[in-house]
Amino acid sequence: MNAEALILLAPVVALPLLLSVLALSPIFNKRALDLLPVAPLPGLIAAFLVPAGTVLEAPALLFGLRLEMTGEGALFLGFASALWMAAGFFARAYMKGGRDLAVFCAFWCLTLAGNLTVFLAGDAATFYLAFTCVSLAAYPLVVHERNVRAMRAGLVYIVLALIGETLLLLGVLLAVAAADGILISDVRDALGASGDSLTIALLVAGFGIKAGMVPLHVWLPLAHPAAPTPASAVLSGAIVKAGIFGLIQFLPLGSDAGTWGQILMAIGIFGSWFGILVGLTQSNPKTVLAYSTVSQMGIVIAAIGGGLEVGAGAVAVAAATLYALHHGLAKGALFMGVGVMQKIGRKGSGYVTAALTLVALSVAGLPLLGGALAKLAIKPPLGGGVAELLVTASAAGTSLLLLRFLFLVQDLRSKSNSARPPLAMTLPFAAMGAGALVMPWLLFEDWSGQDLAYAFELGNLGTALWPLLAGGALAAVFVGFRPRRLPAVPEGDLVVPIEALARRGMAAWRRGAETLPHAAPEVRRPLLAAAGLWLGRVEGRLANWAVAGTLMVLLLLAMLLADRLLG
Amino acid sequence: MNAAMPILLLLCPLIPALVIFFLREENDRLRTVINLGSALVKLLLIAWTLEGVARGVEFEYRLEFVPGLYLLLRVDALSLLFITLSSFLWLITTIYAIAYFRGSENLSRFFGFFNLCVFATTGIALSGSLITFFLFYELLTLSTWPLVVHKGDDKSIAAGRTYLIYTMAGSAALLLGIVWLEGMTGPIEFAGEPELDELSRLSLTVIFALCIGGLGVKGAMFPFHGWLPQAMAAPAPVSALLHAVAVVKAGAFGIVRFIYDVYGIDRVAELSLGLPLAIVASFTIIYGSLRALQQTDIKRRLAFSTVSQVSYIALGASLAGPFATIGGLVHLVHQGLMKITLFFAAGALAERRGITSIDQMEGAGRHMPLTMLAFSIGALGMIGIPPVAGFVTKWYLGVGSLQGGYTWVLIVLAGSSLLNAAYFLPLLYRAWFMEPAARPAGEAPGEGPAGLILPAVVTALASLAVGLFAGFALSPLGWATLIVEEQYTP
């Protein structure tokens, strides 16, 4: 540890936390939005200046808090900070004059602090702290609009986030208990040596919820559209990536984890197609984008699955990182584009549409655009064969899906023909879009181990191009036939029946609780209501000392019996 | 000085108790000075002792009150953990109680017994032998009863009766166990290694069940927890005292003492008594949470939450192994800080805005932001959200149970976390994210006097700090680690 680490790494966490408190103070109350672009600045600086391997330790905090810059961490930190900053500038213009801005800004900064700390955490406890901070602090962002739709999205979000946190804690505890220490590297090594399935399953589920892994993705298509647009941009671009980064950090990539590699790959590829198919049925452009995120993250998860093999770790990590970077910037740009579209009239919207198309094509992998390089890098971990073919072909679906987005987003244009969005909104949008197109070019050689010339090989150009052409052809067919109606899949797909079930269960439980303590017995009673009632009855009986005493004696007898039988 | 220290620590609450009993009711100022003064003096003495114990100084006092029977007071690391917590919270609760009861009646009676209660708790912490422990334990029962019935209405009287029946029966079981045990071995001191080999497995098992069962009554362990939710009829400062400072804690502390300093971990393991206790504790954890979920009254919900949370301490003790032990011990402090925060806040809500049930909480965050902020920190801590104190407990209990091979305990911890979330988060949701109902006329404006609001804020910050600075050597975690290293792992 040295002074440089302290000066550069500590503010990455400390400044957003400080600003989070300041946002609520009366001094900044009116200008809280101005704090947003500043908060991620130390993160951006650190990503460029701090060399990999730098460590900052604070033994008195938590169980020995440790921040550590890793190679992939720096990249995640860099693009996430850039996106948070762009979205911060965007929010300053977009949210101006809204309600409860101090609270919004406070939680924005808190979420940001957690999000960036995830990429720097060197020990498991710090990681878990940061991850939880992201999950919980993002709730007020999701429900900021306070309408019925936002509240419902918030409920689904928080329930899944809490389940995810709990599963993750169990996974982390299992992993830590089996390791020598709480450093993530120790934990990963121990997991690689044991290959314990329960631990891996819990970690995958915990991180998967955040990363939008099907079937745990259901919060995502509800929350992303319900949140204010700048928040959607960071949710989809940066926060989802915390889950991906967790998978990279904790899973024993590069060692043999049995069938887990295949399982993850199958889940990922299934998700990439599932996202596309359900997304196509949506009519809200932001929901379409959310499903596109589900699909794209499926591809990353598949690549991570490919890394669960001896010798395949480094390639998979690098590929997933590059892919995540491109997706983060591009998806951030697309969401901000939605916001720009809302503020622009028919006149001049052509430029925005063109920019959106370019970014969308990059996501679909059009040669020469950044996304094509990311797609090229992610092929090797997939290991060829059916997996690679399915991922390649999914680009056709992606192009179709994003065409639908481009079509839907036109409806959002402002009624007033000459409306102009402020520069403060178009610039962050353009910057993120340009970043998505350019950054992979700068990073490709280092992060894929290939020459840039590899990208220009005819075969590679062909594999990148044919799905796009297929997607275009499909779209033409689609428009030509004009099907009356798409099958109606509600936003959040699987969550709808589950919600109904949960609501009935809750109602039954409550009925059981309300009829306490001495209700007349009813003839028939749903199971949960009966359970609720039964619990109350138990309590009533226990109020009688004799019953409690008898129970105690019985327990004692059971103990003695067990002792005799076992001893 | 070393022999006098335990006596001084005991006198700190005893003298004010005796003086206040004879104080005239309207002598508010003097009463306040005595209350706060003695609490502050005690904290100073504790700081002195903490430093001494950390250096290895022995503080011990012996008094032969019947030939061959000693009253033994002794300060060790474990007693300091408990005594530091109770004294800190005593000071805070006193400040809160003064604001809470401003202008009401029978205050000399209240604060007299309040101090007596703290005296008994201090005695329990300092007890160096089983019989000394029992004496103070009984005194605690008796001195708490006037507090439970303080309001004097039918509900309070009924609650007081239930409290006495439960605790007296528990004490009877405890006494039987102690007499049986000491009848065979002679007086048992915690510092020595009792010779228990003369007793048969059968009698050891029965004695264990009698003593743990007896202690479990105050510790609100299933099926003996019934008195605690009823005692909610008492005013908020008393609830705080019952749940965090004295009574429930005394039971849990007793269980820890009994397992580690009377039987010893090895013997408990050899008799295979740890597992049944762990099962009962786990069941209590889940049962308490489920019952909490069914309550609509805030204080009752909190009461069942205590039933659930206190069993973490017994769970940690029963699982043995260093990590689980640390987790259990540290929860003694953590649960106290978090729960007292919740009760302070609930009391302030009821006092200022008449909020007693969950569906009245809409918009409470806007009217009483500081109170609700404190409440939120406490609630998040109970769920186990880092960096609040509860997370540290869960982490150590989780790792400890895995080290001991009890993987199923993880399911209990996870279930408890989710249930805690299910019964706390709806409160926070109502308070922060729902619009407040129209203000009824004649309601007190503003959040309230500092004495009512700040105690909750202080304890909330404390529960945040003990989690955030858990790695600090003098944090509860650091101290619990010291106890485990020095005393239990040779």
Side-chain angles (χ1 to χ4, degrees), chain B residues 253-272:
Chain B
F253 177 80
I255 291 176
V256 172
R257 266 281 191 234
F258 194 80
I259 290 181
Y260 287 106
D261 290 333
V262 178
Y263 270 48
I265 313 169
D266 294 337
R267 193 178 303 276
V268 171
E270 185 203 313
L271 294 168
S272 53

Side-chain angles (χ1 to χ4, degrees), chain A residues 119-144:
Chain A
F119 304 136
L120 287 174
D123 69 283
T126 306
F127 185 95
Y128 183 74
L129 164 64
F131 202 82
T132 311
C133 176
V134 179
S135 293
L136 298 188
Y139 175 79
L141 304 184
V142 173
V143 301
H144 181 74

